[in-house]
Amino acid sequence: CTCDQLSFATQIVERCPEDLVPRLDLGAVVDRMLRRRRFEMAARAISKFGLLERCDVNLLHRFLSALVTKGQYRLAVEWARKLAEWEVKSQQQLPEVLRWTPTALVSAMVVAEDYDDALKFIYELNLRNDFPITDLIGRMLASQQFAKGLEHIKRFGLEPQFPPLQLMSGMLDAQQWETAIKFANEVPALWDHFSKSLLVERMIAARDWAAATN
């Protein structure tokens, strides 16, 4: 089933008389969208088909699980909020399987080792007391994600926990020259320990001729 066919099917359902909609297998249409990774289309379909109001538990669970496992975290957070709002508005209790709290969503990101997104949402959703931020940034640095790791260090104001000399050494060991030079320019005292000639020597030792002659 192509994306054009999915769009056509959606249009047909939208034009279908209301008394006939319950007879359609709307869940199958949404499932096809999820299999094709058309997550935004699936979200629109769920809204337009009224599947949230019907509280189609199995479908909504498949939808949210697909968003989380496929890294569609922003959409997952948006829909977790919609479900919580619907629960309050409708005064109906959602089943536990649909209770995707912000903390649970960020936990899923951490399990998936998507530390960058996890830290972004921890900051955005003010979950600093629920997660070991320093440890998560440390895991990013251990996997040589220095540029993004630095962003989070600054965002959370954790510079004292991450000594510049250690960070600079890690960047050079990972041969991330541009990130190292940019960092040294931000922390000029580093040039006293890592001269430009030393950086060139490291580039040559790594046989990175393009960087050494740039």
Side-chain angles (χ1 to χ4, degrees):
C1 188
T2 67
C3 292
D4 287 340
Q5 289 172 326
L6 286 174
S7 297
F8 183 61
T10 304
Q11 292 171 17
I12 291 175
V13 173
E14 289 174 351
R15 295 169 186 167
C16 182
E18 284 189 22
D19 59 327
L20 294 181
V21 170
R23 303 182 191 179
L24 300 176
D25 190 355
L26 301 175
V29 176
V30 174
D31 281 333
R32 290 265 181 125
M33 294 174 181
L34 294 176
R35 284 198 293 272
R36 298 287 296 183
R37 300 177 66 88
R38 305 294 291 178
F39 302 111
E40 292 283 355
M41 184 185 289
R44 289 196 300 272
I46 288 172
S47 295
K48 290 177 181 178
F49 299 165
L51 298 178
L52 174 56
E53 288 72 18
R54 290 195 219 172
C55 197
D56 187 331
V57 175
N58 291 331
L59 176 62
L60 291 171
H61 177 55
R62 293 197 299 276
F63 172 60
L64 281 171
S65 296
L67 294 181
V68 174
T69 56
K70 300 301 181 182
Q72 303 296 308
Y73 300 124
R74 191 157 295 280
L75 197 55
V77 169
E78 178 185 332
W79 272 85
R81 285 172 172 165
K82 282 186 179 182
L83 284 167
E85 290 169 2
W86 177 85
E87 184 176 34
V88 173
K89 185 177 180 181
S90 67
Q91 295 185 336
Q92 295 186 45
Q93 188 170 5
L94 284 170
E96 196 63 34
V97 72
L98 293 180
R99 291 181 179 279
W100 282 93
T101 64
T103 301
L105 286 168
V106 173
S107 294
M109 299 175 205
V110 172
V111 170
E113 298 184 356
D114 194 340
Y115 305 124
D116 183 41
D117 276 321
L119 287 161
K120 286 177 183 175
F121 280 107
I122 288 170
Y123 184 82
E124 184 178 322
L125 301 174
N126 196 24
L127 300 174
R128 302 183 188 202
N129 296 327
D130 298 325
F131 294 92
I133 298 170
T134 302
D135 177 62
L136 294 178
I137 295 175
R139 295 187 202 180
M140 288 190 73
L141 299 176
S143 60
Q144 300 185 347
Q145 299 178 59
F146 288 102
K148 290 185 179 296
L150 281 175
E151 291 177 8
H152 292 299
I153 290 171
K154 295 172 186 174
R155 181 175 289 123
F156 288 101
L158 295 174
E159 288 88 348
Q161 279 89 330
F162 296 92
L165 288 175
Q166 185 177 336
L167 289 171
M168 188 71 170
S169 295
M171 294 172 200
L172 295 179
D173 289 342
Q175 299 177 22
Q176 295 183 15
W177 318 120
E178 290 185 13
T179 302
I181 291 170
K182 182 180 177 181
F183 184 50
N185 287 335
E186 293 175 358
V187 187
L190 286 170
W191 290 120
D192 295 335
H193 302 272
F194 302 93
S195 65
K196 293 181 180 179
S197 59
L198 175 63
L199 263 63
V200 172
E201 290 175 9
R202 294 288 297 268
M203 295 171 188
I204 293 173
R207 297 176 178 263
D208 191 340
W209 315 119
T213 57
N214 189 355

